[in-house]
Every structure is written in structure tokens, then in C-alpha cells.
Amino acid sequence: MNRRTVLRGILATGAAVTIPLPLLEIMLNESGTALAQTKTPVSPLYVTWFFGNGTLPGRWKPTRTGSGQAWDLSPQLQPLADLKSYLTVISGLENKLVVSGVEHPSGSAGVTTGAPLSGNAVRAASIDQVVADAISAGAPYRSLEVGVTPATPNGPQDSLHTVSHKGPNARNNPEFDPKAVFNRLFMSGLPEPSDDGAAQAAKIANVRKSVLDSILQDGASLKQRLGEADKHRIEEHLESIRAIEQRLETMSSGGGSTSACKSPTAPTAGKDARSEAPPDVNAAMVELSALALACERTRVLSFMFSLPAAHVYYRHLAQDMNDDFHDTICHGDAGDQSSQPRVDKGVIYTMRCLNEFLTKLKNTPHGSSNLLDSSLVYVTSDTAWGKVHTRTEWPVLFAGKAGGRLRGDEHHNFPGDNLSKALLTVAQIMGLPIKEIGIDAGRVTSPLAGIQV
């Protein structure tokens, strides 16, 4: 079966629906390493997972290096404990492109492009777009950009508003509305949502048949061609889409609601309108992102949990967290790199949300393994310690096995080494034949040693 096979249907509104399929056994060769029809090797998938405002380096960096039992997770990485075998922690790196007075925008540009800013614009494509140039041919979406909270950083630089850039003045803004992401992935012929989502919600309200109902006939025909394992996987896949669809029907969109969004209980989620990165929005974006990758609607994803320098409020965590995390908590709270309790609480919550994303990838079958085995997830931020904008001990974490190109369960320390080497390492893990990356102080000609298998 061709990898691009989809199920098709028509909604009551006349809108066309396509349901992409996960990577099935019938699509692969006997070893599960290449597509059966084209003999093309199955490429690893790539994700940039970004969070704003940095960490507490003293509680982020593990105390010991090595692999397996030779190293332990740090306190701020403890939420990822069940996934330790999939983690490659990289410490000691320095972002040499940080500029005094514009630390967050220059830091964000450096960690994603390896290049300095030119005015308000980045000077080079971000690493996700470099990877997309190499692996996205044939995918419906060259890349997909989603976010959990649009909490603003209050700055004009492009690097404060996204981590995905095709090049100078060509940014890919994240979509923060789960309903808009769902429609983009599975429904064609519908208009792009407005900022408040009202027009889109009204359109959805007129849909009398669900997405899945519209393609059941096509699905029944497909099942006759499949083995038992693939039949089971198709059923699980369609049920997961059904669950997302039903959840989104109860979500409020923007500030208003329509009959399609009403529920006997209060709406559980919607586009974050309170700048607080709520867990239910994260959960919706996690499920949609996993589906997009599993179905190869895209092979390249940017998941922006929070923007650089985001003025986010984690008020749902505790009463004492109802303050601007950037201005009041990171910059205002007393403490050092190992002791700022409210900062610590925010970072740990962020890592719990990352754990939900990685766990979903691990639990999603993909080819002969799962999505986390098949992906490289580059986790990073726009600063090291937010209180004074340190540029050393920049947080960098690789998650996943990248189709066997990463071992996992390791901590490597590179004291004072150039952060751009992490970008070159990503590119080479993803199979790009490049020997250098970056501009000016961000230019490097060698990757980090000992990371790639």
C-alpha cells in the first residue's frame, strides 16, 4: 500500500475530509526499515520543543555524566523519569550570540538558527526548516507549528514570536487554537479561522456529520485489504481521532461560544485566553501533534509550549503563582541558580507537560516501533537562568532515538562549547550532509562528539 493512502469523505456542509493513515505493516518492507513500494528508507521525524524563560541551571543539570546507571536525572528533569532511556542530556553549552539588552530575542535566534539578529529579523533559517528541506518532500505539510500559550513577550523581534523561520522576515507563526489545528489536519475546503475563532466555530456548528462518520464506507473497504495487526491499528487510529473530535466539540474558542461548543459542564479547554498555558490545552495539542506525526501529515513539527520571555501566569499551579512568570517571578524573586522556588515550580510544570508529549509519542505505534523511537525531539529555551540572562549552561535535551541514531539514557557535558554545535549535531543526526552551520560567533564546523550512534 502507498504511504500516502488516505480515507476520504464529504461532510454535510459539502466540505471534503481526508483522514490520513498511520504507518502500517502493509506499507513497509519485511524488515520494517523502508517503504515497500518505493524502497525509500523510513526517515526519522523531527520536533523542536521550546519553552520560554529558561531554567535554574543548578537544578536542571545532572550532577554526573555517563550512560545508564552512571548518571541520574536532576530535580527539574525528574518529571521525565519514566522516559530516561530516551533522553540525551547535553550540558555545558554557551550561546555565544546573546547580546546585552536583547538577551531573549538574540538567545532565541541563536538557539534555533545559529545566527545573530539583523534588526528585528533573523539572519538564517531555523533548524526545523533546515531539516524540512531534507526530509519533507511528499508530506502534505512541509512543517507544522503549534503552541500552547500565546502569552506575549512584548517585543518586535521575529525571534520572540516563533522558533520557526524559513529565513529573514519569513517566520512560521504557531497556531494556538486546537480546533484550527484539527481542521487544518483533517478538513479541507474550510476557511482559515479568525483570531477569535468565532467564524470557524459557526462553520463547525453547521456540520451535521462527524469527520469519522463521513469516511466509514471508505474505511470498511480498506479493512478488507489488511492483515489483523493493521486492522487493529486502523481501529485504534480512528478511535483516537474520534476522541479528539469529541473533546474539541466541548472546547470554547476564543471569547465566545456557539451551539457546537456547548456542553452540560463548563468548557474544559480552548485557545488560552488567560496567558497561563493550561494543562488541557497542552493535552489537546499533544494529541493533535502525535496524530500529525503518526500520519505523516508532516515530518517536521515545532511545539512552542511558551514564547521567549513569555509573560505567562501559572496561576492554576498554586495561589502564589498568580504573577507574571517573566517579570515578577524570574527577575524579581530572590535566589540563585539553585534556589528560586517559584521559578522551580514553573519549570517543573513545563517538564510535566513535555513528559505528556513524549509519553504520547512513546505510546503511539509507528512502523515497527513507536513515534519516540522514530523521532528526534530537540528541547531548549531562550535563556539559561532567566533572572540575569546567563548564556552559559544553556538547557539542551535530545529526546527520542531518531530511528536508532541516538542511544538515549546519557548525559554529556561540554563546558564552554558553542551552542551551535547542538544544531549541527541535529542536522547530522537527521541525515543532512552538511559540515558547518551558523553565522559569525555562531558558526561551527564540527558537531558535538559522541552523541550520534
Side-chain angles (χ1 to χ4, degrees), residues 125-290:
S126 53
I127 186 61
D128 64 304
Q129 296 302 296
V130 174
V131 171
D133 283 341
I135 73 169
S136 289
Y141 295 104
R142 184 177 179 277
S143 62
L144 184 67
E145 296 78 34
V146 302
V148 175
T149 178
T152 176
N154 291 334
Q157 295 89 355
D158 286 346
S159 58
L160 287 179
H161 298 276
T162 186
V163 294
S164 180
H165 308 268
K166 294 178 183 177
N169 300 303
R171 70 193 201 199
N172 298 316
N173 293 328
E175 175 56 66
F176 296 101
D177 185 350
K179 288 183 179 178
V181 176
F182 183 84
N183 291 337
R184 184 180 180 194
L185 290 175
F186 301 116
M187 300 174 70
S188 60
L190 290 181
E192 289 297 316
S194 59
D195 288 345
D196 63 5
Q200 188 67 15
K203 184 73 175 180
I204 295 172
N206 293 322
V207 174
R208 301 303 183 190
K209 297 179 67 178
S210 79
V211 168
L212 289 184
D213 287 340
S214 74
I215 52 83
L216 285 181
Q217 185 175 356
D218 200 15
S221 177
L222 171 67
K223 285 185 180 181
Q224 297 177 9
R225 304 170 54 191
L226 302 179
E228 289 303 317
D230 281 346
K231 286 181 181 178
H232 181 66
R233 185 171 293 187
I234 288 290
E235 290 168 358
E236 288 186 335
H237 175 61
L238 295 180
E239 283 306 312
S240 67
I241 297 174
R242 171 79 80 188
I244 292 176
E245 184 182 36
Q246 291 173 341
R247 175 183 295 183
L248 294 181
E249 286 176 355
T250 67
M251 285 184 174
S252 62
S253 184
S257 63
T258 69
S259 58
C261 303
K262 289 181 179 177
S263 171
T265 58
T268 58
K271 181 178 179 180
D272 178 19
R274 301 186 66 209
S275 299
E276 59 184 11
D280 42 7
V281 176
N282 183 73
M285 286 301 188
V286 163
E287 292 190 42
L288 289 165
S289 296

Side-chain angles (χ1 to χ4, degrees), residues 34 36 67 91 95 189 204 216 255 293 304 316 321 336 362 382 421-422 442:
S67 62
S91 61
N95 190 337
I204 295 172
L216 285 181
L293 292 170
M304 182 168 285
H316 56 281
M321 294 296 288
D336 56 28
K362 180 177 180 291
D382 56 314
K421 287 188 176 182

Side-chain angles (χ1 to χ4, degrees), residues 265-334:
T265 58
T268 58
K271 181 178 179 180
D272 178 19
R274 301 186 66 209
S275 299
E276 59 184 11
D280 42 7
V281 176
N282 183 73
M285 286 301 188
V286 163
E287 292 190 42
L288 289 165
S289 296
L291 273 174
L293 292 170
C295 303
E296 287 195 11
R297 297 298 275 179
T298 188
R299 300 187 187 115
V300 175
L301 172 76
S302 290
F303 192 110
M304 182 168 285
F305 178 77
S306 57
L307 295 160
H311 293 258
V312 63
Y313 290 75
Y314 297 128
R315 56 177 68 88
H316 56 281
L317 296 180
Q319 186 174 356
D320 68 343
M321 294 296 288
N322 191 19
D323 283 313
D324 183 333
F325 191 74
H326 173 266
D327 284 4
T328 305
I329 295 178
C330 288
H331 285 302
D333 283 7

Side-chain angles (χ1 to χ4, degrees), residues 94-144:
E94 178 180 352
N95 190 337
K96 299 181 183 295
L97 292 167
V98 173
V99 176
S100 179
V102 286
E103 289 90 347
H104 288 285
S106 60
S108 176
V111 75
T112 57
T113 71
L117 291 171
S118 176
N120 291 334
V122 300
R123 289 179 59 187
S126 53
I127 186 61
D128 64 304
Q129 296 302 296
V130 174
V131 171
D133 283 341
I135 73 169
S136 289
Y141 295 104
R142 184 177 179 277
S143 62
L144 184 67

